Amino acid sequence: MKSPINTGIIGYGASGKYFHAPFIYAHPGYNLCTVVERSGNEAVKTYPGIKTLRTSDELFNDPEIELVVITTPNDTHFELAYAALQAGKHVIVEKPFTSTTFEASELIRIGRLKNKLVTVYHSRRFESDYLTIKEIIRSGKVGEVVEFESFFDRFRPKPNPKIWKETPKPGIGLLYDLGSHLVDQALDLFGLPVSVTADIRAFRESSQVDDYFMIRLDYTSHITVLKASSFVLKEGPRYQLYGKKGSFIKYGVDEQEELLKQGHTPDETDWGVEKEINWGRLYTAENDQVREEIIPSEHGSYMNFYENIFQVIRNQAELIIKPEQIYLVIRILELALESSAQKRSIPFNMPQNF
């Protein structure tokens, strides 16, 4: 086997602790060497033998480090990723990739110039529920799609205790937090829309960042609705897919995040296998009778993201989450902000800086 990829993580909040470190540590193709923590020594408690650094510059100056994973607050992503690429490192950025398309295009440009991988951790491409939706569409079981709805709802009526998540800066708020994932999934499924219509709001008292959004992506043949709210106590369907032959309804969310927060690790048996209670229902019409079929969920695993990164760096494989796709997610989010501010639909257009 080829030598493992020496990897350093910047930031050890929830993202670094739950979504990145466990997979880097468990994958034999990586060597988790270093974690940058401004204060404290939390990572070394779980991963004895790693180094703890206080500044990102120390990590960038380490010639042994090949890959840098950035899990810091959203408004720091561009600066840190730019510096890491300039230092000759491969880079993974936690979502959102950047706050603007200008920043996204700059990181992509530097990555190409330095011949280094740069991508974003769109983990929800590797979840069982989304992979099931993708397979249902591919199989043609619902026929030609006319409407797709993707809801990610929570009940969090109080401000987030993390101050940076409540500070009004570019890239902060529910739109960039969850919208990055939902838009990425929609573009992966259907490509670029004809127009974008959005309603983005802050419903919590004294909130300075958005806590609700609804985005409608219009296509020639169908519409896609993406929605997230902080005020849904009883969740509805996660996905609703309507086609000319039938419908597919899916409740529940992928279990990997909750398992990680409970202390489980991705090397456990049956990792990413969804419980039957959350399997989706396919409804089709047969002789004027509605037929219901329970569809087993596809096997999801965030580890597949890191496996792909390893194969790209060591074996020149094709990158799953490509720079062009990353850029387009940020472009859609920008158009959603424009649509909500102007209260009108905005035709999709590609800016000249791409």
Side-chain angles (χ1 to χ4, degrees):
M1 182 177 179
K2 296 186 178 180
S3 60
I5 300 169
N6 289 334
T7 303
I9 300 175
I10 304 178
Y12 200 66
S15 178
K17 183 176 182 179
Y18 298 122
F19 292 106
H20 294 277
F23 297 94
I24 297 168
Y25 185 77
H27 194 296
Y30 295 89
N31 180 20
L32 179 58
C33 300
T34 308
V35 173
V36 178
E37 299 182 58
R38 287 186 300 178
S39 60
N41 298 281
E42 292 301 311
V44 75
K45 295 177 183 177
T46 305
Y47 307 104
I50 68 169
K51 290 190 295 185
T52 300
L53 299 178
R54 296 303 179 208
T55 69
S56 57
D57 285 342
E58 294 175 87
L59 180 64
F60 299 152
N61 291 329
D62 185 344
E64 299 298 318
I65 295 296
E66 293 181 74
L67 173 65
V68 170
V69 180
I70 298 169
T71 71
T72 52
N74 299 358
D75 60 321
T76 67
H77 288 181
F78 173 72
E79 179 182 358
L80 290 171
Y82 188 92
L85 289 167
Q86 290 285 23
K89 314 299 185 186
H90 299 291
V91 177
I92 295 170
V93 184
E94 182 54 79
K95 57 78 192 168
F97 185 56
T98 59
S99 301
T100 67
T101 50
F102 174 79
E103 292 176 342
S105 63
E106 271 296 287
L107 293 185
I108 293 169
R109 182 184 68 82
I110 296 298
R112 288 170 177 165
L113 183 66
K114 296 288 186 177
N115 194 30
K116 295 299 177 182
L117 173 149
V118 57
T119 191
V120 68
Y121 188 59
H122 280 314
S123 58
R124 298 195 187 278
R125 288 251 204 122
F126 304 90
E127 294 188 333
S128 58
D129 47 11
Y130 172 69
L131 292 172
T132 304
I133 285 288
K134 198 169 184 177
E135 175 59 23
I136 290 290
I137 293 174
R138 187 205 64 78
S139 70
K141 290 182 177 180
V142 298
E144 181 182 347
V145 175
V146 297
E147 185 176 358
F148 172 65
E149 297 182 357
S150 176
F151 293 171
F152 205 114
D153 295 321
R154 298 167 170 175
F155 188 68
R156 296 182 179 178
K158 296 181 180 180
N160 195 303
K162 296 179 181 179
I163 295 176
W164 70 265
K165 287 199 171 187
E166 298 295 331
T167 303
K169 294 181 179 180
I172 305 298
L174 198 63
L175 176 70
Y176 274 77
D177 183 24
L178 293 182
S180 296
H181 283 311
L182 301 191
V183 170
D184 174 68
Q185 290 181 342
L187 296 184
D188 185 48
L189 290 174
F190 304 114
L192 296 176
V194 175
S195 64
V196 178
T197 310
D199 186 1
I200 304 165
R201 304 193 183 202
F203 283 120
R204 293 173 301 177
E205 291 185 18
S206 72
S207 177
Q208 299 184 70
V209 300
D210 59 270
D211 51 39
Y212 166 93
F213 69 79
M214 187 285 294
I215 303 172
R216 170 174 162 150
L217 304 178
D218 281 275
Y219 292 81
T220 303
S221 60
H222 80 282
I223 62 171
T224 286
V225 176
L226 313 173
K227 177 179 172 290
S229 172
S230 301
F231 289 91
V232 179
L233 186 56
K234 177 63 176 177
E235 295 180 358
R238 173 70 177 87
Y239 293 108
Q240 298 179 81
L241 180 66
Y242 303 113
K244 293 184 177 180
K245 291 183 179 179
S247 303
F248 180 74
I249 311 296
K250 174 74 173 63
Y251 284 82
V253 297
D254 183 275
E255 299 172 352
Q256 292 178 82
E257 178 176 349
E258 186 58 33
L259 289 173
L260 290 164
K261 291 180 177 179
Q262 291 174 5
H264 294 272
T265 57
D267 53 358
E268 295 178 7
T269 304
D270 293 334
W271 180 266
V273 176
E274 190 173 55
K275 294 184 176 65
E276 291 187 24
I277 192 172
N278 287 328
W279 289 358
R281 265 65 173 171
L282 175 68
Y283 300 92
T284 54
E286 191 173 299
N287 299 323
D288 296 325
Q289 297 293 318
V290 176
R291 180 172 179 266
E292 178 182 346
E293 179 183 357
I294 298 175
I295 304 296
S297 294
E298 297 290 310
H299 186 181
S301 178
Y302 299 153
M303 184 64 85
N304 292 338
F305 171 87
Y306 272 102
E307 170 62 18
N308 177 243
I309 298 301
F310 174 80
Q311 293 299 334
V312 172
I313 293 175
R314 286 289 182 261
N315 299 313
Q316 291 76 54
E318 181 179 357
L319 185 62
I320 291 177
I321 301 176
K322 300 174 176 60
E324 296 80 5
Q325 297 171 321
I326 299 167
Y327 175 92
L328 292 170
V329 169
I330 304 302
R331 181 58 183 157
I332 294 293
L333 295 180
E334 286 184 335
L335 293 176
L337 288 168
E338 184 179 345
S339 169
S340 184
Q342 298 184 14
K343 301 187 183 305
R344 68 182 182 92
S345 297
I346 306 293
F348 178 84
N349 58 80
M350 192 75 74
Q352 294 181 353
N353 64 354
F354 182 54

